[in-house]
Amino acid sequence: MSTLPETPETRTLPVPEGLEGERVDAALSRMLGFSRTKAAELAAAGKVRLDGAEVGKSERVTGGAWIEVEMPPPAVPVRVVAEPVEGLDIVHDDDDLVVVDKPVGVAAHPSPGWTGPTVIGGLAAAGYRVATSGAAERQGIVHRLDVGTSGLMVVAKSERAYARLKQQFRDRTVDKRYHALVQGHPDPLSGTIDAPVGRHPQHDYKWAVTAEGKPAVTHYDLIEALRSASLLAIKLETGRTHQIRVHMSAHRHPCVGDLTYGADPTLAKRLRLTRQWLHAKELGFAHPADGRWAAFSSDYPGDLRSALDVLRAESA
């Protein structure tokens, strides 16, 4: 259950001489022990002052100066609610893991501010027992799909599976393949987008290609060219938040229906799409029990299939 946030705490402390010349976000990260991303977010929100003056994340600190930080309130506690999830299909189940086909509108796990259905809650309601390390509300989660993205997800059920699958995702040996319907026709029709992804500088609910983001690599290949759109097969090397959506938008070919990242609302309305046309189509990994390759595939859900059928008819 949610609780009211506590009044934010302000921390005031001197900058060590050894951090002379460091960026504000880097210095805060080292001084207070939280991530550089969180430090940058606090600075962008006007929560950081140096000798009484508000500073941004990229400004430099001076040894001996006093830095004030308005600390974020404690995280709102969340819990798993065992609730059946309509359309959550079990693709594979064994002692170590379960592979699900996630419908649109379902989050991977509970989080502050999200009151809708979750994969973890749906599995709990169906009697699946997930016993792994980590926060209770995220047990078994080794990767995520956006609420508005459908398709395949693997959830670890055992500690062995959790550790080995997490390592595979870190090593980038998991084969994650998506299908995306994007506006227009990319040039070239097959290629690689290698551009760092980080928080959007103006909108905290979005992500963007930014010089200070984390490395992100997306490979795409044309499956089918339509009159006003292209169906692409996409392989991820990295798994940044909103990576495909951000990269395709930055490439000037946003996913059809993705109004957050610049898609044409008129086209989305005509196709009756209320979310981005993006589906986690294939998933492959070395099974944590014996190392054998395990591969799974998912069909397009109804809304994506209908939108594609309309465009195909118009392109005939």
Side-chain angles (χ1 to χ4, degrees), residues 73-286:
V76 178
V78 294
R79 62 185 179 88
V80 175
V81 177
E83 180 180 29
V85 175
E86 184 178 356
L88 182 68
D89 293 332
I90 305 301
V91 177
H92 173 82
D93 174 42
D94 60 39
D95 291 341
D96 288 287
L97 56 88
V98 57
V99 177
V100 302
D101 197 343
K102 185 187 83 67
V104 65
V106 179
H109 59 77
S111 61
W114 175 253
T115 58
T118 67
V119 170
I120 292 301
L123 289 175
Y128 289 87
R129 184 172 181 271
V130 176
T132 67
S133 58
E137 72 276 8
R138 294 194 299 274
Q139 283 198 351
I141 296 295
V142 293
H143 70 128
R144 300 171 180 82
L145 291 180
D146 295 345
V147 171
T149 300
S150 52
L152 296 171
M153 267 186 65
V154 59
V155 178
K157 291 167 64 178
S158 68
E159 192 66 43
R160 171 177 67 180
Y162 183 80
R164 293 180 181 178
L165 286 171
K166 287 286 283 187
Q167 189 61 50
Q168 288 187 58
F169 276 98
R170 281 193 291 267
D171 293 342
R172 304 181 185 178
T173 58
V174 176
D175 190 11
K176 298 177 291 181
R177 295 180 187 266
Y178 296 73
H179 283 189
L181 188 67
V182 303
Q183 294 181 188
H185 304 107
D187 182 16
L189 295 176
S190 296
T192 296
I193 303 173
D194 185 349
V197 171
R199 286 281 186 184
H200 193 286
Q202 280 85 43
H203 306 290
D204 60 6
Y205 62 93
K206 294 173 63 175
W207 299 75
V209 170
T210 169
E212 296 171 351
K214 295 181 179 180
V217 179
T218 302
H219 306 286
Y220 69 91
D221 291 289
L222 179 71
I223 297 174
E224 183 179 359
L226 303 166
R227 180 178 296 175
S228 57
S230 301
L231 182 62
L232 304 179
I234 294 180
K235 185 181 188 314
L236 294 183
E237 279 194 27
T238 52
R240 307 304 176 204
T241 303
H242 295 185
Q243 179 175 321
I244 295 172
R245 300 167 65 191
V246 169
H247 272 176
M248 297 317 301
S249 177
H251 204 44
R252 304 185 188 278
H253 298 283
C255 295
V256 173
D258 194 358
L259 306 189
T260 299
Y261 288 102
D264 179 2
T266 303
L267 177 60
K269 184 177 181 179
R270 184 162 62 81
L271 297 178
R272 298 182 179 180
L273 273 178
T274 57
R275 52 106 165 199
Q276 64 270 12
W277 204 113
L278 180 62
H279 186 65
K281 187 76 169 63
E282 299 175 11
L283 181 64
F285 50 85

Side-chain angles (χ1 to χ4, degrees), residues 11-31:
R11 297 280 300 277
T12 304
L13 58 167
V15 177
E17 296 294 339
L19 295 183
E20 172 81 35
E22 288 275 6
R23 286 169 47 114
V24 165
D25 54 358
L28 276 181
S29 177
R30 293 178 63 181
M31 292 170 68

